[in-house]
């Protein structure tokens, strides 16, 4: 994996040299694990390290939300966005303007 990070603006956003938003937080919610990482939108590749946490069992809305937020906060805290704009992982998860994409393994029922 590449660790060449896009530029961080004064608002904490990641942009490429032309000023376009260049990455998003990708989250994959699976039956056994949740994976999160920053994705280079131009190349479609994960930037830096991805975070993998077990999917809580039972996966209730509350436990799943907590696990997803924890994984996202960890990714953002380790990125230049989190390092430049947040004091902690908790702060990174609530203050940074990063687009997010979430994938589920199948049809979401009663969600």
């Amino acid at each position: 994996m590449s660790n060449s990070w896009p530029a961080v603006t004064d608002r904490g956003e990641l942009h490429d040299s032309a000023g376009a938003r260049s990455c998003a937080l990708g989250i994959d919610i699976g039956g056994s694990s949740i994976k999160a990482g920053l994705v280079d939108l131009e190349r479609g590749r994960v930037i830096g390290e991805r975070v993998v946490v077990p999917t809580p069992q039972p996966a209730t809305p509350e436990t799943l939300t907590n696990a997803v937020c924890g994984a996202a906060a960890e990714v953002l805290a380790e990125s230049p966005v989190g390092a430049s704009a947040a004091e902690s992982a908790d702060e990174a998860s609530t203050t940074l303007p990063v687009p997010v994409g979430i994938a589920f393994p199948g049809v979401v029922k009663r969600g």
Side-chain angles (χ1 to χ4, degrees):
M1 285 182 230
S2 169
N3 283 330
S4 66
W5 296 101
V8 179
T9 68
D10 59 354
R11 290 183 51 206
E13 297 174 327
L14 294 172
H15 290 269
D16 63 17
S17 59
R21 185 168 273 155
S22 62
C23 73
L25 175 63
I27 300 172
D28 178 8
I29 300 173
S32 60
S33 67
I34 297 166
K35 297 165 214 58
L38 284 179
V39 178
D40 179 324
L41 297 176
E42 189 173 307
R43 293 176 185 84
R45 294 189 178 147
V46 175
I47 304 170
E49 297 299 317
R50 72 179 179 165
V51 172
V52 179
V53 297
T55 300
Q57 298 299 325
T60 65
E62 183 177 342
T63 61
L64 195 56
T65 298
N66 289 338
V68 168
C69 288
E74 189 174 336
V75 167
L76 293 175
E78 293 175 5
S79 76
V81 172
S84 67
E87 296 289 323
S88 68
D90 289 336
E91 187 177 329
S93 68
T94 59
T95 63
L96 300 174
V98 176
V100 177
I102 300 178
F104 290 89
V107 177
V108 177
K109 296 180 180 178
R110 297 181 305 249

Short mmCIF file of all heavy atoms in Angstrom, two decimals, residues 4-73:
data_model
loop_
_atom_site.label_atom_id
_atom_site.label_comp_id
_atom_site.label_asym_id
_atom_site.label_seq_id
_atom_site.Cartn_x
_atom_site.Cartn_y
_atom_site.Cartn_z
N SER A 4 1.65 7.75 0.12
CA SER A 4 1.78 9.11 -0.40
C SER A 4 0.42 9.78 -0.26
O SER A 4 -0.49 9.53 -1.03
CB SER A 4 2.24 9.10 -1.85
OG SER A 4 1.26 8.52 -2.67
N TRP A 5 0.29 10.59 0.76
CA TRP A 5 -0.98 11.22 1.10
C TRP A 5 -1.25 12.43 0.22
O TRP A 5 -0.33 13.16 -0.14
CB TRP A 5 -0.96 11.67 2.56
CG TRP A 5 -0.83 10.54 3.51
CD1 TRP A 5 0.30 10.15 4.16
CD2 TRP A 5 -1.86 9.66 3.96
NE1 TRP A 5 0.05 9.08 4.96
CE2 TRP A 5 -1.28 8.77 4.87
CE3 TRP A 5 -3.20 9.54 3.68
CZ2 TRP A 5 -1.99 7.77 5.50
CZ3 TRP A 5 -3.91 8.55 4.31
CH2 TRP A 5 -3.32 7.67 5.21
N PRO A 6 -2.51 12.69 -0.11
CA PRO A 6 -2.87 13.93 -0.79
C PRO A 6 -2.64 15.11 0.15
O PRO A 6 -2.43 14.95 1.34
CB PRO A 6 -4.37 13.76 -1.07
CG PRO A 6 -4.65 12.31 -0.91
CD PRO A 6 -3.64 11.79 0.06
N ALA A 7 -2.71 16.32 -0.40
CA ALA A 7 -2.51 17.53 0.40
C ALA A 7 -3.68 17.73 1.36
O ALA A 7 -4.83 17.42 1.04
CB ALA A 7 -2.39 18.73 -0.52
N VAL A 8 -3.39 18.26 2.55
CA VAL A 8 -4.42 18.56 3.54
C VAL A 8 -4.65 20.07 3.53
O VAL A 8 -3.72 20.85 3.68
CB VAL A 8 -3.98 18.11 4.96
CG1 VAL A 8 -5.05 18.44 5.97
CG2 VAL A 8 -3.66 16.63 4.96
N THR A 9 -5.92 20.48 3.35
CA THR A 9 -6.24 21.90 3.34
C THR A 9 -6.36 22.41 4.77
O THR A 9 -6.37 21.63 5.73
CB THR A 9 -7.58 22.17 2.62
OG1 THR A 9 -8.65 21.62 3.41
CG2 THR A 9 -7.59 21.57 1.23
N ASP A 10 -6.52 23.72 4.92
CA ASP A 10 -6.67 24.30 6.25
C ASP A 10 -7.98 23.89 6.91
O ASP A 10 -8.15 24.03 8.10
CB ASP A 10 -6.53 25.83 6.22
CG ASP A 10 -7.54 26.50 5.32
OD1 ASP A 10 -8.30 25.81 4.61
OD2 ASP A 10 -7.56 27.75 5.31
N ARG A 11 -8.93 23.35 6.14
CA ARG A 11 -10.18 22.83 6.71
C ARG A 11 -10.08 21.36 7.04
O ARG A 11 -11.05 20.74 7.47
CB ARG A 11 -11.33 23.05 5.72
CG ARG A 11 -11.71 24.51 5.57
CD ARG A 11 -12.89 24.69 4.65
NE ARG A 11 -13.97 23.82 5.05
CZ ARG A 11 -14.91 23.38 4.21
NH1 ARG A 11 -14.88 23.68 2.96
NH2 ARG A 11 -15.88 22.60 4.65
N GLY A 12 -8.89 20.76 6.82
CA GLY A 12 -8.71 19.35 7.13
C GLY A 12 -9.16 18.41 6.04
O GLY A 12 -9.30 17.22 6.26
N GLU A 13 -9.42 18.93 4.82
CA GLU A 13 -9.85 18.07 3.72
C GLU A 13 -8.65 17.62 2.90
O GLU A 13 -7.66 18.33 2.81
CB GLU A 13 -10.81 18.84 2.81
CG GLU A 13 -12.09 19.25 3.52
CD GLU A 13 -12.96 20.13 2.65
OE1 GLU A 13 -12.43 20.92 1.84
OE2 GLU A 13 -14.18 20.03 2.79
N LEU A 14 -8.75 16.44 2.31
CA LEU A 14 -7.69 15.93 1.45
C LEU A 14 -8.01 16.29 0.00
O LEU A 14 -9.11 16.02 -0.48
CB LEU A 14 -7.59 14.41 1.59
CG LEU A 14 -7.13 13.90 2.95
CD1 LEU A 14 -7.25 12.40 3.00
CD2 LEU A 14 -5.73 14.33 3.24
N HIS A 15 -7.06 16.91 -0.68
CA HIS A 15 -7.25 17.32 -2.06
C HIS A 15 -6.02 16.97 -2.87
O HIS A 15 -4.91 16.92 -2.36
CB HIS A 15 -7.48 18.84 -2.15
CG HIS A 15 -8.79 19.27 -1.59
ND1 HIS A 15 -9.92 19.38 -2.35
CD2 HIS A 15 -9.16 19.60 -0.33
CE1 HIS A 15 -10.93 19.77 -1.59
NE2 HIS A 15 -10.49 19.90 -0.36
N ASP A 16 -6.25 16.77 -4.19
CA ASP A 16 -5.11 16.54 -5.08
C ASP A 16 -4.53 17.88 -5.51
O ASP A 16 -4.99 18.94 -5.08
CB ASP A 16 -5.51 15.68 -6.27
CG ASP A 16 -6.55 16.33 -7.17
OD1 ASP A 16 -6.75 17.56 -7.07
OD2 ASP A 16 -7.16 15.61 -7.97
N SER A 17 -3.51 17.85 -6.36
CA SER A 17 -2.84 19.08 -6.76
C SER A 17 -3.75 20.03 -7.52
O SER A 17 -3.51 21.22 -7.55
CB SER A 17 -1.60 18.75 -7.60
OG SER A 17 -1.99 18.02 -8.74
N ALA A 18 -4.81 19.54 -8.15
CA ALA A 18 -5.74 20.40 -8.87
C ALA A 18 -6.83 20.95 -7.96
O ALA A 18 -7.67 21.72 -8.38
CB ALA A 18 -6.38 19.62 -10.02
N GLY A 19 -6.84 20.55 -6.70
CA GLY A 19 -7.82 21.05 -5.74
C GLY A 19 -9.07 20.21 -5.61
O GLY A 19 -9.95 20.53 -4.83
N ALA A 20 -9.20 19.11 -6.37
CA ALA A 20 -10.38 18.26 -6.27
C ALA A 20 -10.27 17.37 -5.03
O ALA A 20 -9.17 16.96 -4.65
CB ALA A 20 -10.50 17.38 -7.50
N ARG A 21 -11.40 17.10 -4.40
CA ARG A 21 -11.39 16.18 -3.27
C ARG A 21 -10.89 14.84 -3.79
O ARG A 21 -11.42 14.30 -4.74
CB ARG A 21 -12.79 16.05 -2.68
CG ARG A 21 -12.81 15.21 -1.43
CD ARG A 21 -14.10 15.31 -0.69
NE ARG A 21 -14.05 16.45 0.21
CZ ARG A 21 -15.10 17.10 0.64
NH1 ARG A 21 -16.28 16.76 0.25
NH2 ARG A 21 -14.97 18.11 1.46
N SER A 22 -9.84 14.31 -3.19
CA SER A 22 -9.16 13.16 -3.78
C SER A 22 -9.35 11.84 -3.05
O SER A 22 -8.92 10.82 -3.54
CB SER A 22 -7.67 13.45 -3.88
OG SER A 22 -7.12 13.65 -2.59
N CYS A 23 -9.97 11.85 -1.88
CA CYS A 23 -10.17 10.57 -1.21
C CYS A 23 -11.43 10.60 -0.36
O CYS A 23 -12.00 11.66 -0.09
CB CYS A 23 -8.96 10.18 -0.39
SG CYS A 23 -8.75 11.12 1.11
N ALA A 24 -11.85 9.41 0.01
CA ALA A 24 -13.03 9.24 0.85
C ALA A 24 -12.74 8.11 1.83
O ALA A 24 -11.84 7.29 1.61
CB ALA A 24 -14.25 8.90 0.00
N LEU A 25 -13.50 8.06 2.88
CA LEU A 25 -13.42 6.97 3.85
C LEU A 25 -14.30 5.84 3.34
O LEU A 25 -15.50 6.04 3.12
CB LEU A 25 -13.89 7.45 5.22
CG LEU A 25 -13.97 6.40 6.32
CD1 LEU A 25 -12.58 5.84 6.62
CD2 LEU A 25 -14.57 7.01 7.57
N GLY A 26 -13.71 4.67 3.10
CA GLY A 26 -14.47 3.51 2.66
C GLY A 26 -14.66 2.55 3.83
O GLY A 26 -13.72 2.28 4.57
N ILE A 27 -15.89 2.07 3.98
CA ILE A 27 -16.21 1.13 5.06
C ILE A 27 -16.94 -0.07 4.46
O ILE A 27 -17.92 0.09 3.74
CB ILE A 27 -17.08 1.79 6.15
CG1 ILE A 27 -16.34 2.98 6.75
CG2 ILE A 27 -17.48 0.78 7.22
CD1 ILE A 27 -17.17 3.82 7.70
N ASP A 28 -16.43 -1.27 4.76
CA ASP A 28 -17.04 -2.51 4.29
C ASP A 28 -17.54 -3.27 5.51
O ASP A 28 -16.75 -3.72 6.35
CB ASP A 28 -15.98 -3.34 3.54
CG ASP A 28 -16.51 -4.68 3.06
OD1 ASP A 28 -17.73 -4.94 3.16
OD2 ASP A 28 -15.68 -5.48 2.58
N ILE A 29 -18.87 -3.39 5.61
CA ILE A 29 -19.47 -4.08 6.75
C ILE A 29 -19.78 -5.51 6.32
O ILE A 29 -20.65 -5.74 5.48
CB ILE A 29 -20.75 -3.37 7.22
CG1 ILE A 29 -20.40 -1.94 7.65
CG2 ILE A 29 -21.41 -4.15 8.36
CD1 ILE A 29 -21.58 -1.08 7.99
N GLY A 30 -19.05 -6.46 6.89
CA GLY A 30 -19.24 -7.86 6.56
C GLY A 30 -19.79 -8.65 7.73
O GLY A 30 -19.88 -8.14 8.85
N GLY A 31 -20.12 -9.88 7.49
CA GLY A 31 -20.68 -10.73 8.54
C GLY A 31 -19.69 -11.08 9.63
O GLY A 31 -20.07 -11.27 10.79
N SER A 32 -18.40 -11.13 9.31
CA SER A 32 -17.40 -11.49 10.32
C SER A 32 -16.47 -10.34 10.68
O SER A 32 -15.88 -10.34 11.75
CB SER A 32 -16.58 -12.70 9.87
OG SER A 32 -15.91 -12.39 8.67
N SER A 33 -16.33 -9.34 9.78
CA SER A 33 -15.46 -8.21 10.10
C SER A 33 -15.92 -6.94 9.40
O SER A 33 -16.66 -6.99 8.41
CB SER A 33 -14.00 -8.51 9.72
OG SER A 33 -13.86 -8.60 8.32
N ILE A 34 -15.46 -5.82 9.95
CA ILE A 34 -15.71 -4.50 9.38
C ILE A 34 -14.34 -3.95 9.00
O ILE A 34 -13.42 -3.96 9.82
CB ILE A 34 -16.38 -3.57 10.42
CG1 ILE A 34 -17.75 -4.14 10.80
CG2 ILE A 34 -16.50 -2.14 9.87
CD1 ILE A 34 -18.34 -3.50 12.04
N LYS A 35 -14.21 -3.52 7.75
CA LYS A 35 -12.94 -2.97 7.28
C LYS A 35 -13.15 -1.51 6.93
O LYS A 35 -14.18 -1.14 6.36
CB LYS A 35 -12.45 -3.74 6.06
CG LYS A 35 -12.14 -5.19 6.35
CD LYS A 35 -12.03 -5.96 5.05
CE LYS A 35 -12.52 -7.37 5.15
NZ LYS A 35 -13.85 -7.60 5.56
N ALA A 36 -12.16 -0.67 7.26
CA ALA A 36 -12.23 0.76 6.95
C ALA A 36 -10.88 1.25 6.48
O ALA A 36 -9.84 0.78 6.95
CB ALA A 36 -12.68 1.54 8.19
N GLY A 37 -10.90 2.20 5.55
CA GLY A 37 -9.66 2.78 5.07
C GLY A 37 -9.94 3.98 4.20
O GLY A 37 -11.06 4.17 3.72
N LEU A 38 -8.92 4.82 4.00
CA LEU A 38 -9.05 5.93 3.08
C LEU A 38 -8.82 5.40 1.67
O LEU A 38 -7.90 4.62 1.43
CB LEU A 38 -8.02 7.02 3.39
CG LEU A 38 -8.35 7.89 4.60
CD1 LEU A 38 -7.24 8.92 4.81
CD2 LEU A 38 -9.68 8.58 4.46
N VAL A 39 -9.68 5.82 0.74
CA VAL A 39 -9.61 5.35 -0.63
C VAL A 39 -9.26 6.51 -1.56
O VAL A 39 -9.90 7.57 -1.50
CB VAL A 39 -10.96 4.72 -1.06
CG1 VAL A 39 -10.92 4.26 -2.51
CG2 VAL A 39 -11.33 3.58 -0.13
N ASP A 40 -8.26 6.31 -2.39
CA ASP A 40 -7.89 7.27 -3.42
C ASP A 40 -8.98 7.18 -4.49
O ASP A 40 -9.13 6.15 -5.15
CB ASP A 40 -6.53 6.88 -4.00
CG ASP A 40 -6.06 7.80 -5.10
OD1 ASP A 40 -6.89 8.28 -5.91
OD2 ASP A 40 -4.84 8.04 -5.17
N LEU A 41 -9.78 8.24 -4.66
CA LEU A 41 -10.91 8.21 -5.57
C LEU A 41 -10.49 8.15 -7.04
O LEU A 41 -11.23 7.63 -7.87
CB LEU A 41 -11.80 9.43 -5.33
CG LEU A 41 -12.43 9.50 -3.94
CD1 LEU A 41 -13.21 10.80 -3.78
CD2 LEU A 41 -13.32 8.30 -3.68
N GLU A 42 -9.35 8.66 -7.36
CA GLU A 42 -8.88 8.64 -8.74
C GLU A 42 -8.39 7.26 -9.14
O GLU A 42 -8.66 6.80 -10.25
CB GLU A 42 -7.77 9.67 -8.93
CG GLU A 42 -7.39 9.88 -10.38
CD GLU A 42 -6.42 11.01 -10.56
OE1 GLU A 42 -6.71 12.12 -10.07
OE2 GLU A 42 -5.37 10.78 -11.18
N ARG A 43 -7.68 6.59 -8.26
CA ARG A 43 -7.08 5.29 -8.57
C ARG A 43 -7.89 4.11 -8.05
O ARG A 43 -7.62 2.97 -8.42
CB ARG A 43 -5.66 5.23 -8.02
CG ARG A 43 -4.73 6.20 -8.71
CD ARG A 43 -3.35 6.21 -8.08
NE ARG A 43 -2.50 7.21 -8.66
CZ ARG A 43 -2.47 8.49 -8.30
NH1 ARG A 43 -3.26 8.92 -7.34
NH2 ARG A 43 -1.68 9.35 -8.88
N GLY A 44 -8.83 4.36 -7.15
CA GLY A 44 -9.62 3.28 -6.59
C GLY A 44 -8.84 2.34 -5.70
O GLY A 44 -9.10 1.15 -5.64
N ARG A 45 -7.84 2.89 -4.98
CA ARG A 45 -7.00 2.07 -4.11
C ARG A 45 -7.01 2.62 -2.69
O ARG A 45 -7.16 3.81 -2.47
CB ARG A 45 -5.56 2.08 -4.63
CG ARG A 45 -5.44 1.41 -5.96
CD ARG A 45 -4.01 1.24 -6.36
NE ARG A 45 -3.98 0.54 -7.64
CZ ARG A 45 -3.07 0.74 -8.55
NH1 ARG A 45 -2.11 1.60 -8.35
NH2 ARG A 45 -3.11 0.08 -9.68
N VAL A 46 -6.78 1.73 -1.74
CA VAL A 46 -6.68 2.12 -0.34
C VAL A 46 -5.36 2.86 -0.13
O VAL A 46 -4.31 2.43 -0.62
CB VAL A 46 -6.77 0.90 0.59
CG1 VAL A 46 -6.55 1.30 2.05
CG2 VAL A 46 -8.12 0.22 0.44
N ILE A 47 -5.43 3.98 0.58
CA ILE A 47 -4.24 4.77 0.92
C ILE A 47 -3.88 4.45 2.36
O ILE A 47 -4.73 4.52 3.24
CB ILE A 47 -4.53 6.29 0.82
CG1 ILE A 47 -5.06 6.66 -0.54
CG2 ILE A 47 -3.30 7.09 1.17
CD1 ILE A 47 -5.59 8.07 -0.61
N GLY A 48 -2.63 4.14 2.63
CA GLY A 48 -2.20 3.87 4.00
C GLY A 48 -2.72 2.53 4.49
O GLY A 48 -2.99 1.61 3.71
N GLU A 49 -2.85 2.42 5.78
CA GLU A 49 -3.27 1.16 6.39
C GLU A 49 -4.79 1.12 6.55
O GLU A 49 -5.42 2.12 6.87
CB GLU A 49 -2.62 1.01 7.77
CG GLU A 49 -1.11 0.94 7.73
CD GLU A 49 -0.59 -0.24 6.93
OE1 GLU A 49 -1.14 -1.35 7.09
OE2 GLU A 49 0.34 -0.04 6.14
N ARG A 50 -5.37 -0.06 6.36
CA ARG A 50 -6.79 -0.20 6.64
C ARG A 50 -6.95 -0.78 8.04
O ARG A 50 -6.05 -1.43 8.58
CB ARG A 50 -7.48 -1.05 5.59
CG ARG A 50 -7.16 -2.49 5.66
CD ARG A 50 -7.89 -3.27 4.61
NE ARG A 50 -7.45 -4.65 4.79
CZ ARG A 50 -8.03 -5.69 4.30
NH1 ARG A 50 -9.07 -5.56 3.55
NH2 ARG A 50 -7.57 -6.89 4.54
N VAL A 51 -8.10 -0.56 8.62
CA VAL A 51 -8.42 -1.04 9.95
C VAL A 51 -9.45 -2.16 9.81
O VAL A 51 -10.40 -2.04 9.04
CB VAL A 51 -9.01 0.10 10.81
CG1 VAL A 51 -9.52 -0.41 12.14
CG2 VAL A 51 -7.96 1.19 11.02
N VAL A 52 -9.24 -3.25 10.53
CA VAL A 52 -10.18 -4.37 10.52
C VAL A 52 -10.59 -4.65 11.96
O VAL A 52 -9.74 -4.82 12.84
CB VAL A 52 -9.54 -5.64 9.91
CG1 VAL A 52 -10.53 -6.80 9.91
CG2 VAL A 52 -9.03 -5.37 8.50
N VAL A 53 -11.90 -4.67 12.20
CA VAL A 53 -12.43 -5.00 13.52
C VAL A 53 -13.50 -6.08 13.35
O VAL A 53 -14.14 -6.16 12.29
CB VAL A 53 -13.05 -3.76 14.24
CG1 VAL A 53 -11.99 -2.70 14.50
CG2 VAL A 53 -14.20 -3.16 13.46
N PRO A 54 -13.69 -6.93 14.35
CA PRO A 54 -14.71 -7.97 14.23
C PRO A 54 -16.12 -7.35 14.21
O PRO A 54 -16.37 -6.35 14.89
CB PRO A 54 -14.53 -8.82 15.49
CG PRO A 54 -13.42 -8.24 16.27
CD PRO A 54 -12.94 -7.01 15.59
N THR A 55 -17.00 -7.95 13.44
CA THR A 55 -18.41 -7.54 13.46
C THR A 55 -19.01 -8.03 14.77
O THR A 55 -18.86 -9.22 15.10
CB THR A 55 -19.18 -8.15 12.26
OG1 THR A 55 -18.57 -7.69 11.06
CG2 THR A 55 -20.64 -7.75 12.28
N PRO A 56 -19.61 -7.13 15.54
CA PRO A 56 -20.16 -7.58 16.83
C PRO A 56 -21.27 -8.62 16.65
O PRO A 56 -22.01 -8.59 15.67
CB PRO A 56 -20.72 -6.29 17.45
CG PRO A 56 -20.75 -5.28 16.38
CD PRO A 56 -19.88 -5.73 15.26
N GLN A 57 -21.34 -9.53 17.60
CA GLN A 57 -22.38 -10.56 17.60
C GLN A 57 -23.10 -10.53 18.94
O GLN A 57 -22.44 -10.65 19.95
CB GLN A 57 -21.78 -11.94 17.34
CG GLN A 57 -21.08 -12.08 16.01
CD GLN A 57 -21.99 -11.86 14.82
OE1 GLN A 57 -23.18 -12.20 14.85
NE2 GLN A 57 -21.45 -11.26 13.77
N PRO A 58 -24.38 -10.28 18.98
CA PRO A 58 -25.24 -10.00 17.84
C PRO A 58 -24.97 -8.59 17.29
O PRO A 58 -24.61 -7.68 18.04
CB PRO A 58 -26.65 -10.10 18.40
CG PRO A 58 -26.52 -9.77 19.85
CD PRO A 58 -25.15 -10.25 20.25
N ALA A 59 -25.19 -8.43 16.00
CA ALA A 59 -24.93 -7.14 15.34
C ALA A 59 -26.20 -6.29 15.39
O ALA A 59 -26.94 -6.18 14.43
CB ALA A 59 -24.49 -7.37 13.90
N THR A 60 -26.42 -5.69 16.55
CA THR A 60 -27.57 -4.80 16.72
C THR A 60 -27.22 -3.44 16.13
O THR A 60 -26.03 -3.14 15.91
CB THR A 60 -27.91 -4.63 18.21
OG1 THR A 60 -26.82 -3.95 18.85
CG2 THR A 60 -28.17 -5.96 18.89
N PRO A 61 -28.20 -2.60 15.86
CA PRO A 61 -27.88 -1.27 15.35
C PRO A 61 -26.88 -0.51 16.23
O PRO A 61 -25.95 0.12 15.73
CB PRO A 61 -29.24 -0.55 15.31
CG PRO A 61 -30.21 -1.67 15.08
CD PRO A 61 -29.65 -2.83 15.89
N GLU A 62 -27.02 -0.61 17.54
CA GLU A 62 -26.13 0.10 18.46
C GLU A 62 -24.70 -0.47 18.42
O GLU A 62 -23.73 0.28 18.31
CB GLU A 62 -26.66 0.06 19.89
CG GLU A 62 -25.81 0.85 20.84
CD GLU A 62 -26.38 0.87 22.26
OE1 GLU A 62 -27.57 0.57 22.45
OE2 GLU A 62 -25.61 1.18 23.17
N THR A 63 -24.56 -1.80 18.51
CA THR A 63 -23.21 -2.38 18.53
C THR A 63 -22.52 -2.20 17.18
O THR A 63 -21.32 -1.95 17.13
CB THR A 63 -23.23 -3.88 18.91
OG1 THR A 63 -24.00 -4.61 17.95
CG2 THR A 63 -23.80 -4.08 20.31
N LEU A 64 -23.27 -2.31 16.09
CA LEU A 64 -22.70 -2.12 14.76
C LEU A 64 -22.27 -0.66 14.55
O LEU A 64 -21.18 -0.40 14.04
CB LEU A 64 -23.71 -2.54 13.69
CG LEU A 64 -23.18 -2.74 12.30
CD1 LEU A 64 -22.06 -3.77 12.27
CD2 LEU A 64 -24.30 -3.16 11.37
N THR A 65 -23.10 0.27 14.98
CA THR A 65 -22.75 1.69 14.88
C THR A 65 -21.48 1.99 15.66
O THR A 65 -20.58 2.69 15.17
CB THR A 65 -23.91 2.57 15.39
OG1 THR A 65 -25.06 2.34 14.57
CG2 THR A 65 -23.56 4.04 15.34
N ASN A 66 -21.38 1.47 16.87
CA ASN A 66 -20.18 1.70 17.69
C ASN A 66 -18.93 1.12 17.02
O ASN A 66 -17.87 1.75 17.02
CB ASN A 66 -20.35 1.11 19.08
CG ASN A 66 -21.34 1.89 19.91
OD1 ASN A 66 -21.60 3.06 19.65
ND2 ASN A 66 -21.91 1.24 20.91
N ALA A 67 -19.03 -0.08 16.44
CA ALA A 67 -17.88 -0.70 15.80
C ALA A 67 -17.46 0.07 14.55
O ALA A 67 -16.27 0.30 14.32
CB ALA A 67 -18.20 -2.16 15.44
N VAL A 68 -18.43 0.50 13.74
CA VAL A 68 -18.13 1.27 12.53
C VAL A 68 -17.50 2.61 12.89
O VAL A 68 -16.49 3.02 12.30
CB VAL A 68 -19.40 1.46 11.67
CG1 VAL A 68 -19.17 2.49 10.58
CG2 VAL A 68 -19.85 0.13 11.07
N CYS A 69 -18.08 3.30 13.86
CA CYS A 69 -17.52 4.61 14.28
C CYS A 69 -16.11 4.46 14.85
O CYS A 69 -15.24 5.29 14.58
CB CYS A 69 -18.44 5.27 15.31
SG CYS A 69 -19.97 5.88 14.58
N GLY A 70 -15.86 3.39 15.58
CA GLY A 70 -14.53 3.16 16.12
C GLY A 70 -13.51 2.91 15.03
O GLY A 70 -12.40 3.45 15.05
N ALA A 71 -13.87 2.10 14.03
CA ALA A 71 -12.96 1.83 12.92
C ALA A 71 -12.70 3.10 12.12
O ALA A 71 -11.56 3.39 11.75
CB ALA A 71 -13.54 0.73 12.02
N ALA A 72 -13.75 3.87 11.85
CA ALA A 72 -13.60 5.11 11.09
C ALA A 72 -12.72 6.10 11.85
O ALA A 72 -11.83 6.73 11.26
CB ALA A 72 -14.97 5.73 10.82
N ALA A 73 -12.93 6.23 13.14
CA ALA A 73 -12.13 7.15 13.94
C ALA A 73 -10.66 6.75 13.93
O ALA A 73 -9.78 7.61 13.85
CB ALA A 73 -12.66 7.18 15.38
#
